[in-house]
Every structure is written in structure tokens, then in C-alpha cells.
Amino acid sequence: MPAEPYYLGDNPSKPVPFDGVITASHYVVPLFATMDWDQVPREKVVENIAGLQDPGGNLNDEIMMYIHVPYCKSFCHYCNFNRFHYPKQDSERLEKYTDYLIKEIDWYMRQPYVQARKFTGIYIGGGSPSTLPTSAIERLSSHLAKVIPNYDSIEKSFTGEPRTLRRPGLLEVLRDQGWDRITFGVETLNPEIHRKIGRLDTREDVDAIFDRMRDLNYKADTCVDMMYDLPGQSLFGFQDELTELVDSYDPTEIDLFTTIYLPYRPLHKMILDGRVAQPGSPWQLLAMREHLYDFLSEKGYHNTIAETWSKRNERSQYQTAHCARQDIIGIGCAARGNVKDMVSINPEKVDDWQKNVDEHGASTETLQSIGYEGVLDRIMVMFPRYKHLDKSLLGDFGEKVDSEVFERVLNVIDGHLENGTVEDEGDHFRVTKLGVIWHGNLQTDYLRHALNTEGEVLIEHLTEAKEDFDREDRFGINEQTTFIKENDDLYPKLMK
Ligand SMILES: C[S@@+](CC[C@H](N)C(=O)[O-])C[C@H]1O[C@@H](n2cnc3c(N)ncnc32)[C@H](O)[C@@H]1O
Ligand code: SF4
């Protein structure tokens, strides 16, 4: 039986406490990336790196490493991860990609500002790093063990997709090299929906990973990605899937992503063409979130951060870093990093990335300060994911940023306090259960970038849709797409 509804109830006309807050369902999002930074001239990058070396400057004493591998065996219809460049895959290219990862790692490891810090974790993500040859993964891992002084004691996460992760020999190498978090996508246990969203791996692949890990006595955390609000997925179907996932595999961590429909990915087009079913209404989406909150809490999972539900009642280092509370060095094409108020994004094309590594050591072309306003933006956008905001941290910005910007942030917080999505707990603000259910929407409220305008557009539509409950196709992808097309000049460009 689904848990007792907490806010939504059976009656969709029951008022939800969001009127007046710029809140939108993450549904069709014209642009996936919310923070893009312009390239800066090479001299500026060099100057900024030199500025980082000054220990009297903005040094943080902890750092982690993110390594990006942009290859997958096939491309899922919904996915946007480094979408432009899934280069031809042969073992020579993949070994060469690994050589360049090692080159870029070595460049960073020679920098005094990196040497002065303590590593807290390494995350190899993508894409699907499990597509690299096992020999390349072994080479990369042993290299990391050699150059990172505390390699043995830090958190190490490895991303795979089930088809390639299960292949003979790989899990042994990962175990022997100390990777203690293995993360991979399952997305849905409904075979029909699974096929429709373009996943070519099978349930058998997933079984094989869990079986193999057990046979190898490999104790790494298993972190499974799932998606909901998928085309044709009903609330009850989703509830069954979640029960089955926990009963069959009992993963350490479940990352439950609301499906983001991106206009330039095939899934969105297939829905518009009627080849794939519409997902349900936003109200069903919220009911799914409410169910997963209740169900996973009951099963002993903790919502440590954003969409992550973990048996461990603490955040992983990766999640802490990802939410911008810790510095990250980004290695590999399209990798992102940040060091205090500096952001770096590596070139998206493998060839450009390799050329930069050859010519400059670090491939970034964007290393620049985002300034106090940028840091405040990042903290606020990430606050709903992080769920906790110290008032002292916020207070520091009162004098440092433009008072109008700071005022706007306080107004958004007031709106959320009034609506019960955020609670004032003395020295900090905390995102409530209702806020967690709406966290994607809360994030939209804090964005000052392009997406914010789109958020405002979407809320108008959401408000209209709220008055229109009885229609079968209420707030479907088609209608929302039409609405965005008419109201957003970004959309036609993306559709080309
Ligand atoms: C790097 S992959 C996970 C590992 C591996 N590549 C795989 O797919 O098995 C990233 C994850 O992000 C999520 N994701 C990607 N595109 C998404 C979208 N449009 N909406 C929601 N979640 C998405 C999926 O859960 C996906 O598994
Ligand atoms: S395998 Fe993972 S990263 Fe690759 S396209 Fe599919 S979801 Fe995206």
C-alpha cells in the first residue's frame, strides 16, 4: 500500500502551497546546463592559475578529482551527457584517451596549490567509463594510486553502464584497485518503458553485476540510478518498480532522477510525434516524489542530498563536492571543476581537449573568477539540493554583493518560508519534506540565469494547467512544448 499522502491527497484541486512563488515542474527544459562560462584568453587562464598558487589567497584545504569519460556503448534517447561528442570507439582511441587523462592528472599534481591540499575523493564519471578497456582502467587506477598520496584511504567512485560493467575481469580490477563506490544506471524495471527510452542493456546485465560482486566478495557500495516520470509510467507502476528494486537488489544508494525532457534529444521528439506515450501530469510527478520519500525512508534510506537516497546516513564526498561546498579539479574532455570562486570547464571535443593538454598541460579555457555574486548564486541554486544553509555563510554575502541581488535572495527565501518548503531552524535554514518533493522547483526559483525566465514562463503554464484537471492530456509534453515555443526564443534554435 502506498504511504498516506502527505500534501497532495486524492483531490487534485486541493490547494498546494505554491501560489505566488516562481515555481515550475522540471519537465521540458530547453537548456540542460544552467551555468555556462565564456572562454577567457590563455594569458588570463595562466594568470588565474598563478593566482591560485598563492597560499595567502583563497585556499581551501580539501579537494577532490572528477575524471570524465565521454564514451557509451550506445546513446539513450533521453540523455544529454556530453551529448555532442561520443567519438568513434576503438581500443587504440580509448587507450589514447587514457594517456591524456594521465597527462592532465600529472599536470595538476605538479601544481603547488594542488599539492598543498588534502584529497577527499576521486570520481570517474561520464558517459560510461566502463567502456574503456580493462587494461586502460587498470593503468589509470594504478597511476592514481601512485600520484595521490592518500589514495588508499579516500572515497573512490567508478561509473559504468550495466552491459560493459559486467564484463569478465572488470569488477575484479575495480575491487583490487580499491574502488569503493560502483554506480550505474538501471533507470526503470519496466521492460517496455526501458526499451522505449533507448536502453539496450538488460535486467540480466544488472543481475550479473550484483551476482558477480557477491561472488567476488566485493564490498563496494552499489549506487543505482533510476528515473521516474517516464513516458507511460503510472504512479502505481512506479511504486511497484521501487519495491522490486529494493527487494531484489537492496542497493546501498539509489539516485532517483525526475526525467528531464530535452527538446534536442530523441525521446522528446518521439513524444511529440506520438511514437511514445506522454508522461503523466505534474501532480502525478509530485505524488511519485512523495511516495519515494515515504517508501525509502521506511526502508531505511536517508535522503542525504538532492535525489540521493542512501543507507549511509552521510553524504558521499562526491556529493558534497558536487554541490559546490568543496573544491574539484576536472580532468578529461568536458569535465568541470571549481576552486573557490574559480570555475573551469574543459573543451567538449576530445581533439580540442587533447590539443590543449599537449600545449598547456591543463585543458581548461574558462578558468575565471565568478565573483561573490556568482558564488552566492551557486550556493543558493545548490541549497535546495544540499538541504541546509548556515545563516552565517549567507550573512557573509550581505556586505559583499550588490544589495539588490542580496535582497532578491532574501525575498525568495521568505517566499519559501511562507510556503513551508524551507524552515528557519535558528542558525540555519533547512529544506522541509515539502521542499524536497519540490526541490527541482526550488532550484529554479534561485536561478538568475537563462533558466529563470523559463521558470517564470513555466509557472504561468502550470497555473493554467492547475485549473484544467479533468483533461486526459493535461499539461502534456505537446502542450508544454507549444507553450515554450511561443514564449521562448531559445527553443526554435535548439530544434534546428
Ligand atoms: C552517467 S549516467 C549513469 C551511468 C551510465 N552511463 C548508465 O547510463 O548506466 C547518468 C545518469 O543520469 C540520469 N539522466 C541522464 N539524462 C537524464 C534526463 N534527461 N533526465 C533524468 N535523468 C537523466 C540517468 O539516470 C543516467 O543513468
Ligand atoms: S549510457 Fe548513461 S551516459 Fe550513456 S547515453 Fe545512456 S544514460 Fe547517458
Side-chain angles (χ1 to χ4, degrees):
M1 272 296 286
E4 191 62 22
Y6 181 66
Y7 282 102
L8 303 167
D10 298 331
N11 175 6
S13 63
K14 182 177 151 192
V16 289
F18 299 106
D19 294 336
V21 181
I22 305 164
T23 304
S25 169
H26 269 199
Y27 212 57
V28 179
V29 177
L31 275 183
F32 194 64
T34 50
M35 293 188 190
D36 277 318
W37 308 99
D38 297 332
Q39 288 190 352
V40 292
R42 176 56 49 186
E43 312 81 73
K44 192 73 195 159
V45 172
V46 171
E47 189 189 315
N48 286 338
I49 290 171
L52 282 172
Q53 311 289 4
D54 171 13
N58 253 344
L59 271 188
N60 196 348
D61 63 357
E62 293 192 329
I63 201 158
M64 76 160 285
M65 187 182 283
Y66 173 79
I67 302 174
H68 190 80
V69 179
Y71 299 92
C72 294
K73 198 154 163 98
S74 55
F75 315 140
C76 310
H77 295 336
Y78 52 84
C79 182
N80 181 55
F81 280 64
N82 194 20
R83 69 188 186 284
F84 298 120
H85 307 289
Y86 288 91
K88 194 167 158 293
Q89 294 171 38
D90 55 50
S91 59
E92 206 179 305
R93 263 174 189 260
L94 298 175
E95 292 283 356
K96 187 170 167 199
Y97 189 87
T98 311
D99 295 342
Y100 275 85
L101 288 178
I102 290 175
K103 263 191 176 184
E104 193 166 35
I105 291 168
D106 285 350
W107 185 89
Y108 275 105
M109 295 309 296
R110 284 195 298 274
Q111 303 308 302
Y113 80 90
V114 176
Q115 289 172 350
R117 291 162 189 240
K118 191 168 147 239
F119 275 89
T120 57
I122 309 170
Y123 190 103
I124 303 199
S128 301
S130 54
T131 51
L132 292 177
T134 307
S135 57
I137 295 170
E138 194 161 23
R139 199 153 60 84
L140 179 62
S141 308
S142 348
H143 192 78
L144 288 165
K146 205 164 65 193
V147 298
I148 296 190
N150 54 350
Y151 178 90
D152 285 341
S153 60
I154 57 175
E155 177 187 293
K156 293 178 281 294
S157 312
F158 187 93
T159 307
E161 35 113 63
R163 273 195 294 172
T164 43
L165 189 58
R166 69 173 286 192
R167 72 174 193 270
L170 178 54
L171 286 165
E172 282 90 325
V173 166
L174 296 175
R175 179 197 61 185
D176 295 346
Q177 300 280 354
W179 294 93
D180 56 3
R181 290 178 82 245
I182 300 295
T183 148
F184 52 96
V186 172
E187 322 304 355
T188 168
L189 293 179
N190 178 317
E192 199 185 329
I193 300 177
H194 194 261
R195 191 171 46 80
K196 290 218 160 117
I197 61 175
R199 295 284 304 193
L200 297 180
D201 39 25
T202 61
R203 188 68 187 269
E204 198 207 328
D205 295 327
V206 177
D207 290 345
I209 294 168
F210 283 97
D211 291 349
R212 188 95 193 107
M213 287 182 75
R214 198 185 43 244
D215 294 348
L216 290 170
N217 196 25
Y218 185 8
K219 302 278 189 221
D221 285 356
T222 45
C223 312
V224 166
D225 288 345
M226 294 291 285
M227 292 165 71
Y228 60 99
D229 192 32
L230 284 163
Q233 192 180 37
S234 69
L235 174 61
F236 294 119
F238 171 65
Q239 290 172 340
D240 290 346
E241 284 186 45
L242 217 47
T243 306
E244 196 182 338
L245 180 80
V246 173
D247 287 353
S248 311
Y249 304 115
D250 195 29
T252 323
E253 185 182 298
I254 306 174
D255 285 64
L256 271 149
F257 299 104
T258 307
T259 305
I260 302 175
Y261 290 94
L262 299 141
Y264 41 82
R265 295 300 301 141
L267 185 62
H268 178 254
K269 293 184 184 152
M270 288 158 85
I271 292 175
L272 295 189
D273 295 349
R275 281 180 283 154
V276 169
Q278 292 275 344
S281 73
W283 308 106
Q284 174 177 285
L285 164 63
L286 293 181
M288 285 176 171
R289 285 200 188 138
E290 184 174 18
H291 172 74
L292 73 86
Y293 192 108
D294 293 330
F295 176 76
L296 291 176
S297 305
E298 193 189 297
K299 290 284 178 186
Y301 286 88
H302 307 275
N303 181 211
T304 49
I305 206 163
E307 56 282 300
T308 298
W309 290 83
S310 174
K311 291 258 174 85
R312 301 185 182 281
N313 196 4
E314 59 196 22
R315 297 179 186 107
S316 68
Q317 292 297 334
Y318 168 65
Q319 286 148 348
T320 301
H322 186 62
C323 287
R325 298 290 173 100
Q326 189 183 297
D327 293 349
I328 307 182
I329 336 175
I331 308 281
C333 91
R336 291 183 174 223
N338 59 268
V339 186
K340 275 290 183 204
D341 71 335
M342 302 287 234
V343 287
S344 77
I345 304 176
N346 293 353
E348 277 194 334
K349 287 188 186 159
V350 173
D351 290 348
D352 295 345
W353 166 67
Q354 289 178 344
K355 183 166 173 283
N356 280 6
V357 171
D358 277 336
E359 288 175 8
H360 311 293
S363 66
T364 177
E365 290 170 340
T366 63
L367 192 75
Q368 60 195 285
S369 168
I370 56 173
Y372 285 116
E373 276 183 23
V375 175
L376 178 66
D377 263 354
R378 192 162 64 190
I379 288 174
M380 293 318 297
V381 171
M382 291 302 175
F383 161 44
R385 296 176 64 78
Y386 207 83
K387 306 206 307 179
H388 182 109
L389 178 66
D390 283 334
K391 288 186 186 168
S392 60
L393 182 71
L394 191 60
D396 285 349
F397 289 91
E399 290 134 36
K400 289 179 184 160
V401 302
D402 182 302
S403 58
E404 214 174 286
V405 173
F406 193 63
E407 196 60 22
R408 180 188 162 276
V409 164
L410 297 182
N411 286 341
V412 178
I413 294 183
D414 280 348
H416 289 304
L417 286 168
E418 260 171 50
N419 288 290
T421 46
V422 167
E423 236 163 47
D424 186 334
E425 295 195 334
D427 60 353
H428 65 269
F429 295 111
R430 186 180 61 81
V431 176
T432 63
K433 172 179 170 178
L434 184 62
V436 170
I437 293 173
W438 279 78
H439 93 255
N441 314 61
L442 298 200
Q443 274 196 286
T444 312
D445 290 349
Y446 289 111
L447 286 174
R448 291 200 308 133
H449 305 275
L451 200 60
N452 186 251
T453 334
E454 290 146 24
E456 288 178 38
V457 170
L458 294 184
I459 186 57
E460 274 180 48
H461 192 46
L462 184 61
T463 312
E464 282 172 18
K466 253 181 7 180
E467 290 155 8
D468 202 8
F469 290 113
D470 295 331
R471 285 176 42 208
E472 268 287 288
D473 59 346
R474 62 188 185 241
F475 204 49
I477 293 276
N478 299 57
E479 292 148 302
Q480 189 171 355
T481 303
T482 308
F483 191 86
I484 294 175
K485 270 185 190 164
E486 284 165 2
N487 288 280
D488 182 356
D489 59 4
L490 270 174
Y491 191 90
K493 274 186 249 157
L494 289 165
M495 289 299 279
K496 277 188 189 143

